[in-house]
Amino acid sequence: MTRVYIALGSNIEPRYNYLMDAILLLGEQETITLNKQSSVYETKPVGYTEQADFLNMVIEIDTSLSASQLLVACQAIEQQLGRKREIRFGPRTVDLDILLYRQKQMETKRLTIPHPRMHERAFVLVPLAEIAPDLKITGFNRTVSEMVKDLPAADRQGVVKWAPTDISD
Ligand code: GSY
């Protein structure tokens, strides 16, 4: 079994349902055991900023799948939950990004591990620090919680813990 961290994001309603459905679908697979999930955070869009705020979170799983097989499984769940790749970096029902696969480093046409932008994204580092504060990202000599402290204050302030207010949200 391999320890893996996956980031989830959604900015099309019902955002929270998309995140929870994706976790259920991952956890249903015999090859995946869900260990931990972070809180849900509401986050300001990064990159293409003319879009709605996201809900983001990170989960820790153990899996017997290879990194490439796990990518296929994540993409199948994105498809099942209605993800359409219309605008690059644009709105999405649900996005599943493999962040870390044990200490593995790999780069193929379809998958780069560690995720190439995770170390600079507050919407990834803040939830990751909640469930794995002492983890070190392969290639970096600092823990995730140290990396959060080093983020610009404005980036950290754009990531706020969120909870559903009613059952239909
Ligand atoms: O790669 C993730 C998609 N994405 C996000 C996201 O999940 N959250 C925030 N806050 N901004 C984002 N920009 C992109 S692209």
Side-chain angles (χ1 to χ4, degrees):
M1 289 293 238
T2 304
R3 177 67 40 92
V4 176
Y5 293 88
I6 296 177
L8 296 94
S10 171
N11 74 339
I12 294 177
E13 295 294 351
R15 301 175 296 173
Y16 180 68
N17 293 6
Y18 282 126
L19 297 183
M20 295 304 117
D21 288 350
I23 292 174
L24 276 178
L25 290 168
L26 276 171
E28 269 174 12
Q29 315 217 5
E30 278 178 10
T31 48
I32 293 175
T33 305
L34 180 66
N35 294 331
K36 292 183 188 171
Q37 64 187 69
S38 74
S39 306
V40 176
Y41 293 80
E42 189 161 50
T43 70
K44 293 288 166 209
V46 171
Y48 175 56
T49 53
E50 296 299 306
Q51 58 178 325
D53 289 353
F54 281 80
L55 292 184
N56 285 110
M57 65 190 296
V58 171
I59 59 172
E60 179 191 281
I61 63 166
D62 287 324
T63 185
S64 55
L65 297 175
S66 68
S68 304
Q69 288 170 329
L70 182 61
L71 175 68
V72 170
C74 288
Q75 289 178 339
I77 291 172
E78 289 176 349
Q79 292 294 312
Q80 195 174 338
L81 295 176
R83 168 110 186 248
K84 296 192 180 63
R85 290 171 186 269
E86 277 158 357
I87 309 175
R88 191 161 185 234
F89 305 124
R92 65 233 19 233
T93 52
V94 71
D95 195 26
L96 299 175
D97 285 334
I98 301 171
L99 300 174
L100 300 165
Y101 184 95
R102 202 187 304 114
Q103 292 300 308
K104 191 180 176 74
Q105 284 184 291
M106 68 177 278
E107 189 167 352
T108 68
K109 228 167 88 180
R110 281 152 24 100
L111 184 61
T112 302
I113 293 176
H115 188 287
R117 290 173 296 283
M118 65 177 288
H119 62 281
E120 61 190 28
R121 288 178 159 178
F123 67 81
V124 170
L125 291 178
V126 171
L128 181 59
E130 188 190 325
I131 59 172
D134 298 326
L135 185 72
K136 285 187 176 165
I137 301 172
T138 319
F140 290 84
N141 202 21
R142 285 170 307 150
T143 65
V144 173
S145 64
E146 288 167 342
M147 294 176 95
V148 168
K149 286 190 197 124
D150 291 346
L151 286 169
D155 288 10
R156 258 182 289 140
Q157 282 155 13
V159 175
V160 176
K161 236 179 225 186
W162 183 92
T165 48
D166 80 54
I167 201 136
S168 63
D169 205 342

